[in-house]
Amino acid sequence: MLASAKEGSPMRAAVTALMSRNATPNCVLNVGVHWLCNAPLKNAWNAAMANVDVDDTVGHACFFLPMGDPGDDDRPMWKKKGIDGYVDAIRKAKRKVILLGPPHVQNLPFIGQDAFVDASGAGGGGDGVADGVIKTLFEIGDAFDDPPVVIMTAGMAAKSAILLGQDRINFRGWGFIDAGTTLDGYAGVKSRDYNDPRKYCQKSRERTRGDGDGVEFWFAPGVCEKFPQLPRAGGQRRTHHRNGV
């Protein structure tokens, strides 16, 4: 994100605003500090942070907002803390959902969106590239009787939508969740090392907690049919903690 926020650009202003509690009081921006091992990204981060009040920041070990999915090796830990994940919270609150992302995430049963906005090609860092997608998103949400929750897997377009949607968040009850790449594995797309569909299918079969928590709920149709169930290996199964905790 910061790599695309060139000095003086609208995107740099957006990034700076997202990092400021004063500018976006109802927004939380999580930064994966592992990216700062890259010197250019570290320099970009330091430049963007130059005018940010350190009192607006906090360090913690959670990167992605817990979804409550079986692919998360930390799900039992979240459960012990009374956190079931945002999927369950949205369903219990009976909120309308708009899904913003590429077509491959459109058929995820656990999202159950009321509207889908195709964000193909809008996730890059260029200023203005997502304007049309965000305009469509706001038109759809504004037509709902109740404020929606917007779940996004749309790269930079997600950050832009959150920033431009501040009035809707602060005064009209909209919610925005930037899901990043956490949905891809359930759609059958391995976009990161932690969201391998094969591993997700195996974990889902082993960790199901009953009705509404199995393969049929979490995966797009046909994804796990490609990966037959494997016998459980003896010894310790290697885990990958998505949130680094």
Side-chain angles (χ1 to χ4, degrees):
M1 180 172 68
L2 286 168
S4 65
K6 299 184 183 302
E7 188 66 39
S9 71
M11 196 60 72
R12 169 60 67 86
V15 171
T16 303
L18 285 173
M19 290 190 295
S20 170
R21 183 179 60 197
N22 296 326
T24 52
N26 291 323
C27 176
V28 176
L29 175 66
N30 274 354
V31 178
V33 293
H34 52 280
W35 291 109
L36 305 185
C37 295
N38 177 293
L41 293 181
K42 178 181 178 180
N43 293 335
W45 169 257
N46 288 338
M49 284 290 289
N51 297 315
V52 173
D53 188 341
V54 293
D55 290 336
D56 280 0
T57 66
V58 63
H60 58 85
C62 173
F63 185 57
F64 285 112
L65 187 67
M67 189 162 64
D69 60 301
D72 185 356
D73 293 325
D74 294 312
R75 185 166 74 159
M77 181 269 290
W78 293 123
K79 183 67 175 178
K80 288 181 181 179
K81 295 178 180 290
I83 300 172
D84 290 322
Y86 70 77
V87 170
D88 190 56
I90 291 172
R91 289 166 63 87
K92 286 181 178 178
K94 298 181 179 179
R95 294 288 296 271
K96 295 281 188 179
V97 174
I98 302 176
L99 178 61
L100 177 71
H104 69 259
V105 301
Q106 186 173 2
N107 297 315
L108 294 172
F110 68 90
I111 298 293
Q113 69 269 10
D114 298 276
F116 174 75
V117 179
D118 187 351
S120 300
D127 296 323
V129 70
D131 289 354
V133 168
I134 296 173
K135 181 176 182 289
T136 299
L137 166 66
F138 289 165
E139 288 175 348
I140 292 173
D142 288 343
F144 286 166
D145 293 332
D146 299 308
V149 174
V150 183
I151 299 175
M152 303 171 291
T153 173
M156 205 65 210
K159 286 71 175 175
S160 299
I162 292 172
L163 182 69
L164 295 173
Q166 283 300 300
D167 284 347
R168 289 173 172 82
I169 295 170
N170 295 332
F171 305 114
R172 296 166 59 182
W174 284 48
F176 287 81
I177 299 173
D178 183 0
T181 56
T182 58
L183 305 185
D184 286 345
Y186 293 103
V189 175
K190 183 182 179 182
S191 59
R192 297 290 189 276
D193 60 348
Y194 61 77
N195 60 18
D196 186 338
R198 181 186 298 275
K199 293 179 180 177
Y200 272 14
C201 289
Q202 185 72 3
K203 289 177 179 180
S204 183
R205 291 170 176 136
E206 294 174 355
R207 298 173 177 176
T208 180
R209 298 182 296 196
D211 293 340
D213 190 53
V215 167
E216 296 79 10
F217 177 71
W218 289 106
F219 291 86
V223 170
C224 288
E225 294 176 5
K226 305 172 186 175
F227 309 115
Q229 186 165 1
L230 302 175
R232 300 194 67 165
Q236 184 74 25
R237 177 181 292 276
R238 182 178 181 273
T239 59
H240 187 106
H241 295 277
R242 179 192 304 161
N243 279 308
V245 294

